[in-house]
Amino acid sequence: MTRSGIIAAVLAPILWLLLLSFGVGSIPALGPMLEISGGVWQHQSIQLQDQEIAGLEKDVLVAIDKNGVPHLFADSAADLFLAQGFVTASQRLFQLELNGRQTAGRLTEIFGDRALFYDEFFTRFNMRENARSTLTRYSEDPHIKTMIDAYVAGVNAWIDVMPDVPPEYKILGIYPEKYSALKVINMGKALTWSLAGRSFDPLMTTYLQRLGAEKVLDLFPEFLPDKYEDFVMPGRPKNPHPPENPKMFGFVSGLTDVPKFPLPNPGRGSNNWVVGPDKSTTGTSLMANDTHLSLTLPNTWYENQLSCPEFNVYGASLAAIPGIVLGMNKDIAWGVTNGTTDVLDFFEVEFENETSLRYKWNGGWEDAKVTKEKILLKLFGQKTVEVIETKAGFVLHREGKLGLAADWTGFRSGHELRAVRAQMSAQSAAECIAGWRDWLAPIQNFVCVDQTSVGWIHGGFVPKREPGDGRFIMDGRGAKPLLTTPVERVPQSFNPRQGYLESANQKIAPPGYPDYLGWDYEPPFRGMMIRRALTAKPKLSPVDMMDMQNENFDVQAEMILPTLLRLAAEGADQVWLGRLRKWDYRIRADQPEAAVFKAWWDAVKESLFADELGEGATRLLPKDARVIWMLEKLEANPGEADVRWVDDRNTADQVESLTEIVSGALEKGLKKLEEQQGKNENLWTWTDYNRTQFMHAGRLPGFGSAVLPMNGSTTTVRGQGGMHGAVYKAVVQTGSWPKAWMQVPGGNEGDPFSKNYARFVREWSDGQMREVEFYKDRDEAKARAERVIVLKPGGPR
Amino acid sequence: MALLLPLVWFGPWWSVALAALWTGWVSGPRFVNALQFASAAGVVSAALAFIKDGQNAGLIAPRMSRLFGMTYSPMIFLIVFGVTFVTAFLCFRAGGALSVLYRSRTISEKSVAPN
């Protein structure tokens, strides 16, 4: 053997072993991961047994029902929340790990550089300090402090006694970190961001720079004619605020290169509605709720019952946070949809020079407050991020002397956990509504019912704004105080004459409401369909409510497709025009009509507006209802003012007609489907177009679900699209003891190698619900549960 | 193989590397020997992974295969085989190379030693 041969033979295994030990790039550390004695193959399914836990004062009974739902009975709230932390961690430890890290900018530590973009953003956005100050505020309330501390102790008790770590830890080569109160808050912040971090201000500013205020307001109006709107608030107030007009937008930001931030996807589908006793076949109020979030395995929600002398409540908890956020007790039930109201504002800040930290404010100069935060990298090293705070907000981007600062109501601390706890022991719908006064962010449409009453509140910090505030990047050289004062009248309703209330992320208050709430809400179609179903029958039963949740009739298609078909009568694919004429507007998983319609409709909007709106058009086109109104006007009167949007400005030598645009769009839509699903049109399906599937909470490939065949789209009541959908569904019938049907797809089990992982996903995709077991007391729990265990005081401290 | 079984079942993942290094040192850097040892180690590891998966109702292999972008579940055992094979092969060769180096040094020292 030559000398160089020997050197190569020795060096090669060293490099190989280093690679196996630490991984490189996207390749994980395969050595420990695939180890037979301790890697993924060494897997223990967790089944809770009687167990001693440090910190418990008395025994806690855990009754596990046939659906795998734990029912916890304790003699004190502190014991109850400690047990909740313990039981939740036994099934969801890795999810807790993720939830505690996301907004703290600590994902890079476990996922490597691919998470750095998010970590840098959240750090720069001051989420760390934000969480610390929120924890301080929450801790002012001794009940809430106990709640958090007990839950944290429970999670850590599990970490101390767990027989094995979940597989994700082995795959990522990490070990569970001790849980903390700050991580509880971080989860709350992550959810707040995902629900209230919605903003198109930078993109709208690009449109403003390109088109001017008049055209932008025309394409993105605050209100449309009644036919194209649905409002959560019943009735017609008569004190309108002044309308937006182009003259309000004299300031146009000079920022031209604003990067994409990890803003959350717009909400696409939560619904809730309640009917009062006069409209219910049971003679008592009914509530339906389906909350839509990212479809993840395990589910964001954790189904459980919590019982102690102060309350007995059943519903969905957020894995990582104590208490029950959505659910019912013996007297009331409550549910939420995202309120969607804009609470994230952007400001242009002017610095003294390109590198200065002095910024212009009210004619003078102020020093920005700068703090340095460290982001730990996965293997070695760290990255320092400067958090730059100005009076206009936190600076997220700099461009020459200009900077982009952001302010958000999520920075102001409320007492959200106190509000949640108030619901758990509320005894009436009125008490429930009042309990949300402590809730600040994210704004939610809370509905509450008791046996005789129904109520709704647009709960949270609803900022008082002048018309147009928060639509574009605003002047931050002495910004007027926004997001600091709440409206005097939070939109709400209690026992309305109509006998029902509904919300579906649509606009909150109709024209005539005195406060300006913004322009950016979800389309009205789901709300229209719910209202139609609620008024179709004089009285509704719980089964009717469940049927409504599965409603796949597309009001959007009903409103626009006839117009499209008339406009494209000639010169388009006659076979598909014929098939769409016969379509009943129901979105079925195994049929192609809905896919062809949606692809066509998307292409129509793209063809009409991409030339004017440019690159950003792929992110935000005018709302569907606005375009429907436009096409109807133009069909009736081809010379109508909206004709200015029809011609494709990219084809300078010709002027396209609306008929040409609509016909051409059908061809584009069909081509897109052909590229996606092949040439054989008989095999096209809505399922393959919509591609509903669950992904793993940590985005590990293969740990999610397959594409699921599901009826419905983002514009139907039964709504889901891509990796977003109804992660919690509930129908509650109030009474002397409530009855409820729920579905939490994925179930409670978070272990990807367990047979109960992804439980109920198939039932969920089939639209089935489960009647829940809500036990009155320990005796009933012992008698009816499938398995009973006892958590006892003791164990290692 | 009999020695490898308990080593892989109970030992840390790098115990195969140590065993290969030692075996290579003892038996020299012959290519065929290295191939035989690495094949045996790979087969043992894949077989034990298969058994462990069976003990867990076969729920591990499908997910782990898809983690690596493969839709056919048994492919994960091929990966286990491959990783162990390469580890054992390289370490075996390294052990052999080190033994050659050691022996050549010893012989040269003996040849220059004074009588």
Side-chain angles (χ1 to χ4, degrees):
Chain A
M1 216 171 189
T2 63
R3 181 175 287 271
S4 58
I6 291 173
I7 291 170
V10 173
L11 277 181
I14 291 173
L15 292 174
W16 174 251
L17 292 174
L18 284 172
L19 175 71
L20 291 185
S21 300
F22 301 108
V24 63
S26 59
I27 301 171
L30 292 174
M33 182 207 292
L34 297 176
E35 180 180 273
I36 305 296
S37 62
V40 291
W41 306 107
Q42 184 62 37
H43 175 258
Q44 269 197 29
S45 289
I46 305 294
Q47 190 172 39
L48 281 180
Q49 308 290 342
D50 287 357
Q51 175 87 44
E52 289 187 346
I53 303 181
L56 277 183
E57 294 295 328
K58 291 186 174 173
D59 287 1
V60 177
L61 181 90
V62 182
I64 297 168
D65 69 23
K66 64 177 188 288
N67 296 316
V69 176
H71 304 250
L72 280 58
F73 292 83
D75 288 330
S76 71
D79 275 0
L80 185 67
F81 292 124
L82 193 150
Q84 189 191 19
F86 186 85
V87 173
T88 306
S90 73
Q91 297 190 293
R92 299 285 187 89
L93 188 59
F94 181 70
Q95 191 182 23
L96 265 65
E97 182 88 44
L98 287 181
N99 292 341
R101 287 172 175 271
Q102 186 185 339
T103 55
R106 295 194 55 210
L107 290 176
T108 305
E109 289 172 37
I110 57 176
F111 290 116
D113 286 353
R114 67 190 162 111
L116 194 55
F117 170 67
Y118 300 96
D119 282 353
E120 283 191 82
F121 173 79
F122 285 123
T123 307
R124 209 163 271 141
F125 200 49
N126 203 39
M127 283 296 222
R128 289 184 182 178
E129 179 53 33
N130 181 219
R132 289 191 282 263
S133 63
T134 299
L135 177 60
T136 305
R137 185 161 165 79
Y138 280 15
S139 300
E140 291 164 4
D141 184 326
H143 293 294
I144 302 307
K145 183 167 171 29
T146 302
M147 192 173 173
I148 295 173
D149 290 347
Y151 189 85
V152 168
V155 175
N156 286 331
W158 172 256
I159 293 173
D160 288 340
V161 301
M162 65 182 173
D164 195 10
V165 297
E168 290 96 333
Y169 286 94
K170 297 173 180 176
I171 289 165
L172 294 167
I174 56 172
Y175 193 78
E177 195 178 66
K178 282 280 183 183
Y179 209 57
S180 67
L182 205 53
K183 291 189 175 186
V184 171
I185 305 297
N186 285 339
M187 170 57 192
K189 293 294 171 189
L191 192 74
T192 304
W193 176 252
S194 78
L195 295 171
R198 170 196 179 102
S199 177
F200 290 108
D201 300 4
L203 186 62
M204 292 296 284
T205 300
T206 308
Y207 294 168
L208 178 67
Q209 292 162 343
R210 200 172 283 157
L211 301 174
E214 186 272 325
K215 285 185 172 175
V216 175
L217 291 185
D218 181 28
L219 287 180
F220 302 93
E222 184 189 359
F223 292 114
L224 293 169
D226 279 359
K227 179 186 167 188
Y228 308 95
E229 297 278 23
D230 184 71
F231 301 100
V232 181
M233 174 176 269
R236 274 299 158 126
K238 297 230 164 25
N239 301 299
H241 58 261
E244 289 178 292
N245 80 66
K247 289 179 186 158
M248 291 172 173
F249 304 104
F251 174 78
V252 180
S253 170
L255 290 161
T256 55
D257 198 21
V258 176
K260 282 185 182 173
F261 301 119
L263 299 180
N265 286 325
R268 290 184 292 188
S270 296
N271 308 294
N272 60 20
W273 60 90
V274 290
V275 299
D278 295 339
K279 241 190 119 44
S280 155
T281 57
T282 64
T284 58
S285 306
L286 306 174
M287 184 205 75
N289 184 204
D290 50 283
T291 61
H292 292 230
L293 293 168
S294 293
L295 293 172
T296 62
L297 291 175
N299 196 307
T300 304
W301 299 106
Y302 185 82
E303 192 176 344
N304 53 174
Q305 177 180 352
L306 300 179
S307 179
C308 69
E310 295 162 49
F311 49 79
N312 183 10
V313 57
Y314 186 104
S317 306
L318 286 162
I321 293 183
I324 281 179
V325 181
L326 302 171
M328 61 181 172
N329 61 29
K330 74 180 176 60
D331 298 310
I332 67 155
W334 72 96
V336 302
T337 63
N338 195 20
T340 316
T341 296
D342 176 18
V343 291
L344 174 61
D345 285 344
F346 289 88
F347 297 91
E348 179 187 287
V349 180
E350 183 181 340
F351 290 96
E352 246 180 354
N353 57 50
E354 280 80 354
T355 55
S356 170
L357 290 169
R358 283 168 64 76
Y359 64 98
K360 194 173 268 185
W361 186 260
N362 283 336
W365 295 95
E366 300 255 351
D367 288 319
K369 185 180 160 194
V370 181
T371 48
K372 295 191 175 181
E373 296 275 2
K374 291 184 171 58
I375 295 173
L376 296 180
L377 305 180
K378 182 166 185 183
L379 288 178
F380 314 103
Q382 59 190 29
K383 179 161 188 178
T384 302
V385 172
E386 281 190 341
V387 182
I388 304 172
E389 182 180 359
T390 69
K391 287 182 175 167
F394 292 93
V395 177
L396 299 177
H397 163 70
R398 291 189 70 160
E399 198 178 302
K401 282 164 63 176
L402 300 182
L404 180 71
D407 193 12
W408 186 44
T409 58
F411 291 141
R412 286 127 185 80
S413 297
H415 266 298
E416 287 79 9
L417 260 184
R418 191 157 72 193
V420 167
R421 181 146 176 177
Q423 307 312 313
M424 291 160 63
S425 52
Q427 294 176 340
S428 68
E431 205 180 317
C432 172
I433 292 290
W436 295 114
R437 66 178 173 269
D438 281 327
W439 186 275
L440 193 146
I443 295 175
Q444 299 289 290
N445 289 311
F446 297 104
V447 290
C448 299
V449 292
D450 59 26
Q451 287 192 55
T452 56
S453 296
V454 299
W456 155 75
I457 184 169
H458 191 55
F461 186 102
V462 182
K464 188 172 178 58
R465 293 176 183 277
E466 296 300 318
D469 280 351
R471 188 185 262 275
F472 304 109
I473 295 172
M474 291 173 282
D475 189 358
R477 293 167 181 80
K480 56 183 172 178
L482 293 174
L483 306 180
T484 53
T485 313
V487 294
E488 290 93 12
R489 305 158 293 268
V490 178
Q492 57 188 298
S493 177
F494 199 76
N495 285 335
R497 198 178 308 160
Q498 65 193 25
Y500 67 87
L501 290 160
E502 58 90 10
S503 80
N505 314 119
Q506 76 275 50
K507 286 178 188 167
I508 303 303
Y513 191 71
D515 291 307
Y516 173 79
L517 299 176
W519 63 277
D520 178 28
Y521 290 89
E522 287 302 300
F525 311 116
R526 285 182 286 115
M528 288 173 171
M529 188 63 227
I530 294 168
R531 201 173 291 277
R532 192 184 292 182
L534 287 170
T535 51
K537 287 183 174 181
K539 288 179 187 284
L540 293 123
S541 69
V543 172
D544 291 329
M545 306 281 269
M546 284 182 259
D547 288 345
M548 281 172 68
Q549 287 185 324
N550 283 329
E551 179 59 66
N552 65 343
F553 185 87
D554 189 1
V555 173
Q556 181 200 41
E558 182 192 42
M559 286 178 79
I560 189 56
L561 188 55
T563 308
L564 291 183
L565 289 167
R566 285 192 297 274
L567 286 169
E570 293 168 16
D573 189 309
Q574 292 301 314
V575 174
W576 276 109
L577 290 182
R579 287 185 72 166
L580 288 173
R581 277 191 198 102
K582 292 179 193 155
W583 183 41
D584 61 0
Y585 311 129
R586 291 197 174 276
I587 296 190
R588 297 183 183 85
D590 57 351
Q591 292 181 357
E593 282 82 359
V596 174
F597 163 66
K598 294 287 184 187
W600 184 8
W601 178 235
D602 286 346
V604 167
K605 289 192 296 175
E606 187 75 17
S607 302
L608 285 170
F609 302 109
D611 52 342
E612 278 92 3
L613 299 180
E615 192 187 342
T618 53
R619 286 176 59 202
L620 182 67
L621 293 168
K623 305 273 183 179
D624 288 339
R626 168 68 182 90
V627 188
I628 293 172
W629 181 41
M630 166 180 162
L631 295 190
E632 287 181 355
K633 282 192 294 180
L634 288 171
E635 191 192 16
N637 175 14
E640 210 273 341
D642 271 348
V643 73
R644 63 178 168 168
W645 302 112
V646 173
D647 179 39
D648 184 351
R649 287 150 42 119
N650 295 326
T651 55
D653 54 339
Q654 64 184 99
V655 178
E656 286 83 5
S657 68
L658 185 58
T659 302
E660 286 169 332
I661 292 281
V662 171
S663 300
L666 177 58
E667 299 309 317
K668 285 183 192 167
L670 292 172
K671 194 172 173 207
K672 180 181 172 186
L673 278 162
E674 187 180 307
E675 285 165 5
Q676 186 199 43
Q677 302 192 35
K679 285 192 187 293
N680 188 345
E681 296 177 359
N682 294 323
L683 298 178
W684 292 356
T685 63
W686 171 249
T687 295
D688 283 336
Y689 186 76
N690 201 37
R691 299 192 70 77
T692 301
Q693 68 184 119
F694 287 77
M695 59 191 156
H696 178 253
R699 309 293 189 268
L700 294 181
F703 284 50
S705 77
V707 171
L708 299 161
M710 292 190 68
N711 299 337
S713 78
T714 53
T715 51
T716 61
V717 179
R718 181 172 191 190
Q720 66 280 315
M723 294 173 179
H724 203 272
V727 291
Y728 164 83
K729 291 170 76 177
V731 169
V732 182
Q733 171 192 331
T734 58
S736 56
W737 190 257
K739 279 182 83 171
W741 298 262
M742 291 186 184
Q743 194 57 275
V744 180
N748 278 349
E749 183 55 73
D751 175 1
F753 297 160
S754 159
K755 66 180 186 327
N756 287 327
Y757 186 70
R759 196 177 181 187
F760 306 128
V761 164
R762 183 57 66 181
E763 290 89 332
W764 174 80
S765 69
D766 290 341
Q768 296 171 24
M769 298 281 272
R770 290 178 286 112
E771 184 169 351
V772 305
E773 297 188 1
F774 181 25
Y775 303 139
K776 288 179 183 162
D777 50 35
R778 289 178 194 237
D779 291 339
E780 187 186 358
K782 283 179 189 167
R784 292 181 59 195
E786 199 164 75
R787 214 159 60 82
V788 173
I789 59 171
V790 180
L791 305 177
K792 303 168 189 292
R797 274 188 185 269
Chain B
M1 260 206 195
L3 284 174
L4 281 168
L5 268 170
L7 206 63
V8 176
W9 187 263
F10 296 111
W13 66 272
W14 40 264
S15 58
V16 169
L18 280 184
L21 197 71
W22 179 77
T23 314
W25 174 275
V26 171
S27 59
R30 284 191 59 201
F31 190 79
V32 175
N33 288 355
L35 268 184
Q36 285 174 340
F37 184 89
S39 301
V43 167
V44 165
S45 293
L48 294 183
F50 182 76
I51 290 169
K52 289 273 190 183
D53 186 42
Q55 289 175 343
N56 200 69
L59 293 167
I60 300 175
R63 295 216 175 272
M64 289 304 294
S65 293
R66 287 200 290 272
L67 180 70
F68 289 96
M70 300 172 299
T71 50
Y72 185 51
S73 298
M75 292 300 283
I76 188 64
F77 302 116
L78 203 62
I79 287 188
V80 173
F81 172 87
V83 168
T84 316
F85 177 90
V86 174
T87 305
F89 181 80
L90 292 177
C91 291
F92 191 102
R93 295 279 290 168
L98 287 172
S99 77
V100 168
L101 184 67
Y102 176 79
R103 280 171 199 146
S104 65
R105 284 268 170 96
T106 312
I107 290 165
S108 61
E109 277 170 17
K110 279 181 183 169
S111 64
V112 295
N115 288 325

